[in-house]
Amino acid sequence: MDYENFDIRISKSVGSNKYQMTVQSSVLAYLDDSFELPFAETDVALRNRIQFNESGYLAQAADVQALGIELRDRLFPGQVWTYFDNCRQEVMARNRGLRIRLIIDSAAAALGQLPWEYCFHDDFKFIGLNDQTPIVRFLPTGRRPRN
C-alpha cells in the first residue's frame, strides 16, 4: 500500500510541563495552528491505566479500549481529529493509506514511550494497528541516519 503522511510534531515548552503540537499533512492544506497537547507528566490516572494494561495482567477489552480513547483524545484533540479524518477520507478515496508520523523532540521524549498504537475510534478500532493508518515514531538520537 502507498501512503501519504500525517505529521504530528510534539515539543515541550522550556521550563514547563506543557507540550505543544503542530500538525500538517501531505494530503490537504496545512493546519496552520499550534495546540497544547492535553497531557501532563503528573497525570497519574493515565499512567496507572497504561501500567495496568502493560503489566502482564490480562486486561479486559473495555479497559484497553478506554485507554485507547483517552490516548486518541489527547493526540487528536477536537480540530486535529477533524483534520485527520478529512485527510484519511481523502486518501482512502484514492486507495492509499495515511501514515501518522509522530515527530517528538528530545525534551518531550517521555511521550514517545506511550502506547499510541492503542489509540481507538469506534469506526475503525485501533488506529495504529489498522494497515491504512500506521503510526511511526521519530525520536531524536543524535546520530545521522544510516544509508
Side-chain angles (χ1 to χ4, degrees), residues 36-147:
E36 188 172 304
L37 188 63
F39 179 85
E41 291 177 357
T42 58
D43 193 334
V44 176
L46 177 62
R47 290 207 180 274
N48 287 342
R49 187 174 291 173
I50 291 169
Q51 288 172 354
F52 171 75
N53 284 309
E54 293 186 342
S55 65
Y57 295 111
L58 194 57
Q60 298 295 316
D63 294 330
V64 178
Q65 287 177 4
L67 170 64
I69 290 167
E70 192 168 348
L71 286 168
R72 184 210 60 215
D73 289 348
R74 291 164 188 263
L75 190 60
F76 297 96
Q79 184 179 355
V80 176
W81 177 259
T82 302
Y83 181 59
F84 168 75
D85 197 41
N86 289 340
C87 291
R88 184 183 63 82
Q89 290 176 34
E90 176 73 25
V91 299
M92 286 179 64
R94 295 184 275 150
N95 294 318
R96 297 176 65 93
L98 187 61
R99 180 186 307 113
I100 302 163
R101 300 192 310 178
L102 298 180
I103 304 161
I104 302 171
D105 77 10
S106 58
L111 294 186
Q113 298 173 17
L114 293 175
W116 297 112
E117 293 77 12
Y118 285 140
C119 286
F120 185 86
H121 190 274
D122 288 333
D123 290 345
F124 52 107
K125 307 304 175 207
F126 293 100
I127 297 167
L129 301 179
N130 184 322
D131 64 344
Q132 294 180 334
T133 54
I135 295 176
V136 296
R137 301 157 196 251
F138 291 88
L139 300 170
T141 62
R143 294 183 290 182
R144 293 176 49 126
R146 293 185 219 174
N147 291 334

